[in-house]
Amino acid sequence: MDVDLDETDIEILKRLEKSDDKNLEELSDELGLSKSAIHYRVTNLKQSDVITTISADVDPHALDLSMLLFTEVTVSHESGYAEDVGELLTEIDGVNHVYYMMGDVDFIVISRVQNHDQMHVLIDDIVEIDGVNETSSRFVIQELETGGQLIDNMSEEMVDQVVE
Amino acid sequence: MDVDLDETDIEILKRLEKSDDKNLEELSDELGLSKSAIHYRVTNLKQSDVITTISADVDPHALDLSMLLFTEVTVSHESGYAEDVGELLTEIDGVNHVYYMMGDVDFIVISRVQNHDQMHVLIDDIVEIDGVNETSSRFVIQELETGGQLIDNMSEEMVDQVVE
DNA sequence: AATGAAATCGACCAGCA
DNA sequence: TGCTGGTCGATTTCATT
């Protein structure tokens, strides 16, 4: 299951995380391998689920999704209900991410809506879930860019631990 | 600047958000358009920045990034320092997302690290930033899947508002 | 694991509604 | 402007090392 990656794989992944639009030729030039070799490695990375998907990133603003919302959710009886509540949270319109947390707050929900009304509906939908005890929402004023994705934000040491 | 999308664009985006691996042929079959027409629309969506990038999604676990961390950051003098602090937060190793928030907490930082030691380094890096007053970190036990991306999590009404 | 040649698919062009 | 069909170039695949 666990695949071992070498430096070349990391370099490929770093570039594909940024953009898949760039052709194989750029990669083969930059990494000094044939186009087929790059393709061979990319195929392996996909089949071993290191690369889960190649997908389009859509600008939320193009869909009028201008409000980004963090909501903390606490359930009343943490024992049995938590899993069900989590599942129901993922199904609410506008909800993009649900995280089950350690500590006092049980879930953090990240969602995008287009206006105030939709925000109210969203919060109502959360509160109406059986077992939800308390919610607390906060707005994002601005999303800051970190440059790349996973690998671009890793230190040398972190990368070394994977390659080893 | 603002592009108006029709139902066909939405259907294309919904599919490309899921996976770009699927052929043009699949899309043209499913939507009843020629391959060229699909290509024409996808090109437009890219050029108008509705599709920002086509990129690979990498499994964090393949990179040993098993710890996912939410950190709330409060700055001491919110007036002038906030922008600089935000910028510096994005540059810290392991940090993937930085959000500037409304309310009492100034920033929410989402990061991934491989182990306890890296977590300590990360939090130290945050605290050492000039102007940072207080931090509070929480761990994610589990990330729940919401199915798709943006469009898949939108209601009919939300989509209608975009298509208009 | 990597290569080069052969089959397949996507990008682009001119024209058309 | 949005679409079609066809051509060319790029990518994927496969046999071979």
Side-chain angles (χ1 to χ4, degrees):
Chain A
M1 186 70 212
D2 257 15
V3 195
D4 31 35
L5 309 168
D6 61 13
E7 298 84 351
T8 308
D9 290 320
I10 296 288
E11 290 303 316
I12 292 174
L13 286 174
K14 189 190 288 185
R15 284 164 175 80
L16 292 185
E17 266 197 311
K18 272 231 170 64
S19 165
D20 186 60
D21 273 358
K22 306 187 174 175
N23 29 11
L24 288 186
E25 227 168 273
E26 266 186 68
L27 291 180
S28 62
D29 285 351
E30 289 178 29
L31 304 181
L33 279 173
S34 72
K35 287 194 274 186
S36 311
I38 301 283
H39 182 263
Y40 170 77
R41 280 170 176 268
V42 172
T43 304
N44 278 354
L45 290 169
K46 284 179 187 167
Q47 283 185 345
S48 58
D49 279 326
V50 175
I51 294 176
T52 51
T53 50
I54 305 283
S55 65
D57 300 319
V58 177
D59 180 10
H61 293 290
L63 301 169
D64 262 338
L65 295 167
S66 52
M67 301 178 87
L68 178 56
L69 204 57
F70 279 65
T71 308
E72 299 178 351
V73 177
T74 311
V75 302
S76 42
H77 306 293
E78 213 191 308
S79 45
Y81 288 123
E83 279 187 26
D84 298 333
V85 172
E87 195 59 43
L88 291 170
L89 286 171
T90 64
E91 290 164 10
I92 294 175
D93 294 327
V95 168
N96 288 318
H97 299 283
V98 176
Y99 301 96
Y100 184 40
M101 307 297 293
M102 279 185 66
D104 49 343
V105 167
D106 295 303
F107 294 97
I108 289 182
V109 177
I110 302 180
S111 42
R112 290 188 191 266
V113 293
Q114 295 164 331
N115 53 49
H116 232 234
D117 287 344
Q118 291 177 7
M119 181 202 76
H120 278 297
V121 173
L122 180 103
I123 293 177
D124 282 349
D125 285 347
I126 294 177
V127 174
E128 277 171 13
I129 292 176
D130 201 41
V132 166
N133 187 28
E134 202 186 331
T135 70
S136 163
S137 292
R138 282 179 288 187
F139 285 97
V140 174
I141 300 175
Q142 191 192 355
E143 301 179 61
L144 305 184
E145 298 294 329
T146 53
Q149 295 292 315
L150 261 33
I151 296 179
D152 229 46
N153 294 319
M154 288 168 75
S155 65
E156 295 276 342
E157 292 76 27
M158 292 162 103
V159 172
D160 286 345
Q161 177 164 328
V162 181
V163 175
E164 60 188 340
Chain B
M1 184 72 210
D2 257 16
V3 195
D4 31 36
L5 310 168
D6 61 12
E7 297 85 351
T8 308
D9 290 319
I10 295 288
E11 289 303 314
I12 292 174
L13 286 173
K14 190 191 287 186
R15 285 164 174 79
L16 292 185
E17 266 197 311
K18 271 232 169 67
S19 164
D20 187 58
D21 274 356
K22 303 188 174 177
N23 299 348
L24 285 189
E25 230 168 88
E26 266 186 70
L27 291 180
S28 62
D29 284 352
E30 287 179 29
L31 304 181
L33 280 172
S34 72
K35 285 194 279 185
S36 313
I38 302 284
H39 182 262
Y40 171 77
R41 280 171 176 268
V42 171
T43 304
N44 279 353
L45 289 169
K46 284 179 186 168
Q47 282 185 344
S48 58
D49 279 324
V50 174
I51 295 176
T52 51
T53 50
I54 305 284
S55 66
D57 301 318
V58 176
D59 180 11
H61 292 290
L63 301 169
D64 262 336
L65 296 167
S66 51
M67 300 177 88
L68 177 55
L69 204 56
F70 279 64
T71 308
E72 299 178 352
V73 176
T74 311
V75 302
S76 42
H77 306 294
E78 214 190 307
S79 44
Y81 287 122
E83 279 187 25
D84 299 332
V85 172
E87 195 58 44
L88 291 170
L89 286 171
T90 63
E91 290 164 12
I92 294 175
D93 293 327
V95 168
N96 289 317
H97 299 283
V98 176
Y99 300 96
Y100 184 40
M101 307 296 293
M102 280 186 65
D104 48 342
V105 167
D106 294 304
F107 294 97
I108 289 182
V109 177
I110 302 180
S111 43
R112 290 188 191 267
V113 294
Q114 295 164 331
N115 54 47
H116 231 233
D117 287 345
Q118 291 177 7
M119 181 202 75
H120 278 296
V121 172
L122 180 102
I123 293 177
D124 282 349
D125 286 347
I126 293 177
V127 174
E128 277 171 14
I129 293 176
D130 201 42
V132 166
N133 186 30
E134 201 185 331
T135 71
S136 163
S137 292
R138 282 180 287 188
F139 284 98
V140 174
I141 300 175
Q142 192 192 356
E143 303 178 59
L144 305 184
E145 297 295 328
T146 53
Q149 295 292 314
L150 260 33
I151 296 180
D152 229 45
N153 294 319
M154 289 168 75
S155 65
E156 295 276 343
E157 293 77 27
M158 292 163 104
V159 172
D160 285 346
Q161 176 164 327
V162 181
V163 174
E164 63 188 340

Coordinates of all heavy atoms in Angstrom, one line a residue, chain B residues 33-34 36-37 40-41, chain D residues 1-6:
Chain B
L33 N -23.1 17.1 -27.2 CA -22.5 18.1 -28.0 C -21.2 17.5 -28.7 O -20.8 16.5 -28.3 CB -22.0 19.3 -27.2 CG -23.0 20.4 -26.8 CD1 -22.5 21.3 -25.8 CD2 -23.5 21.1 -28.0
S34 N -20.7 18.1 -29.7 CA -19.6 17.6 -30.4 C -18.3 17.8 -29.5 O -18.3 18.6 -28.6 CB -19.4 18.3 -31.7 OG -18.9 19.6 -31.5
S36 N -15.6 19.2 -30.4 CA -15.1 20.6 -30.6 C -15.9 21.6 -29.7 O -15.3 22.5 -29.2 CB -15.3 20.9 -32.1 OG -14.8 19.9 -32.9
A37 N -17.2 21.4 -29.6 CA -18.0 22.3 -28.8 C -17.6 22.3 -27.4 O -17.4 23.3 -26.7 CB -19.5 22.0 -29.0
Y40 N -14.3 24.0 -27.1 CA -14.5 25.4 -27.2 C -14.9 26.0 -25.9 O -14.4 27.1 -25.5 CB -15.5 25.6 -28.3 CG -16.0 27.1 -28.4 CD1 -15.3 28.0 -29.1 CD2 -17.3 27.4 -28.0 CE1 -15.7 29.3 -29.2 CE2 -17.8 28.7 -28.1 CZ -17.0 29.7 -28.7 OH -17.4 30.9 -28.8
R41 N -15.8 25.4 -25.3 CA -16.3 25.9 -24.0 C -15.3 25.8 -22.9 O -15.1 26.7 -22.1 CB -17.6 25.1 -23.6 CG -18.9 25.6 -24.3 CD -20.0 24.7 -24.0 NE -21.3 25.2 -24.6 CZ -22.1 25.9 -24.0 NH1 -21.9 26.3 -22.7 NH2 -23.3 26.3 -24.6
Chain D
dT1 P -18.0 38.0 -29.6 OP1 -17.7 38.5 -28.3 OP2 -17.0 37.8 -30.6 O5' -18.9 36.7 -29.4 C5' -20.2 36.9 -28.8 C4' -21.0 35.7 -29.0 O4' -21.2 35.5 -30.4 C3' -20.4 34.4 -28.4 O3' -21.3 33.8 -27.6 C2' -20.1 33.6 -29.7 C1' -21.1 34.1 -30.7 N1 -20.6 34.0 -32.1 C2 -21.5 33.4 -33.0 O2 -22.6 32.9 -32.8 N3 -21.0 33.4 -34.3 C4 -19.8 33.9 -34.8 O4 -19.4 33.8 -35.9 C5 -18.9 34.5 -33.7 C7 -17.6 35.1 -34.1 C6 -19.4 34.5 -32.5
dG2 P -20.9 32.5 -26.7 OP1 -21.8 32.5 -25.5 OP2 -19.5 32.6 -26.6 O5' -21.3 31.3 -27.6 C5' -22.7 31.0 -27.9 C4' -22.8 29.9 -28.8 O4' -22.3 30.2 -30.1 C3' -22.0 28.6 -28.4 O3' -22.9 27.5 -28.4 C2' -20.9 28.5 -29.4 C1' -21.5 29.2 -30.6 N9 -20.5 29.7 -31.6 C8 -19.4 30.5 -31.3 N7 -18.7 30.8 -32.3 C5 -19.4 30.3 -33.4 C6 -19.1 30.3 -34.8 O6 -18.2 30.9 -35.4 N1 -20.1 29.6 -35.5 C2 -21.2 28.9 -34.9 N2 -22.0 28.3 -35.8 N3 -21.4 28.9 -33.6 C4 -20.5 29.6 -32.9
dC3 P -22.3 26.1 -28.1 OP1 -23.5 25.3 -27.5 OP2 -21.1 26.2 -27.3 O5' -22.0 25.4 -29.5 C5' -23.1 25.1 -30.3 C4' -22.5 24.8 -31.7 O4' -21.6 25.8 -32.1 C3' -21.8 23.5 -31.8 O3' -22.6 22.5 -32.4 C2' -20.6 23.8 -32.8 C1' -20.8 25.3 -33.1 N1 -19.6 26.1 -33.3 C2 -19.1 26.2 -34.6 O2 -19.7 25.7 -35.5 N3 -18.0 27.0 -34.7 C4 -17.4 27.5 -33.7 N4 -16.3 28.3 -33.9 C5 -17.9 27.4 -32.4 C6 -19.0 26.6 -32.2
dT4 P -22.1 21.0 -32.4 OP1 -23.3 20.1 -32.4 OP2 -21.1 20.8 -31.4 O5' -21.4 20.8 -33.8 C5' -22.2 21.0 -35.0 C4' -21.3 20.9 -36.2 O4' -20.4 22.0 -36.2 C3' -20.5 19.6 -36.3 O3' -20.9 18.8 -37.4 C2' -19.0 20.1 -36.5 C1' -19.2 21.6 -36.8 N1 -18.1 22.5 -36.3 C2 -17.2 23.0 -37.1 O2 -17.2 22.8 -38.3 N3 -16.2 23.8 -36.5 C4 -16.1 24.1 -35.2 O4 -15.2 24.8 -34.7 C5 -17.1 23.4 -34.3 C7 -17.1 23.7 -32.8 C6 -18.0 22.7 -34.9
dG5 P -20.6 17.3 -37.4 OP1 -21.8 16.6 -38.0 OP2 -20.2 16.9 -36.1 O5' -19.4 17.2 -38.4 C5' -19.4 18.0 -39.6 C4' -18.0 18.0 -40.2 O4' -17.2 19.1 -39.5 C3' -17.2 16.7 -40.1 O3' -16.6 16.5 -41.3 C2' -16.2 17.0 -39.0 C1' -16.0 18.5 -39.2 N9 -15.5 19.2 -38.0 C8 -15.9 19.0 -36.7 N7 -15.3 19.8 -35.8 C5 -14.5 20.6 -36.6 C6 -13.7 21.6 -36.2 O6 -13.5 22.1 -35.0 N1 -13.0 22.2 -37.3 C2 -13.1 21.8 -38.6 N2 -12.4 22.5 -39.5 N3 -13.9 20.8 -39.0 C4 -14.6 20.3 -37.9
dG6 P -15.7 15.2 -41.6 OP1 -16.2 14.6 -42.9 OP2 -15.8 14.3 -40.4 O5' -14.2 15.7 -41.8 C5' -14.0 16.8 -42.7 C4' -12.6 17.4 -42.5 O4' -12.6 18.1 -41.2 C3' -11.5 16.3 -42.4 O3' -10.4 16.8 -43.1 C2' -11.2 16.2 -40.9 C1' -11.4 17.6 -40.4 N9 -11.7 17.7 -39.0 C8 -12.6 17.0 -38.3 N7 -12.7 17.3 -37.0 C5 -11.8 18.3 -36.9 C6 -11.4 19.1 -35.8 O6 -11.8 19.0 -34.6 N1 -10.5 20.0 -36.1 C2 -9.9 20.3 -37.3 N2 -9.0 21.2 -37.4 N3 -10.3 19.5 -38.4 C4 -11.2 18.6 -38.1

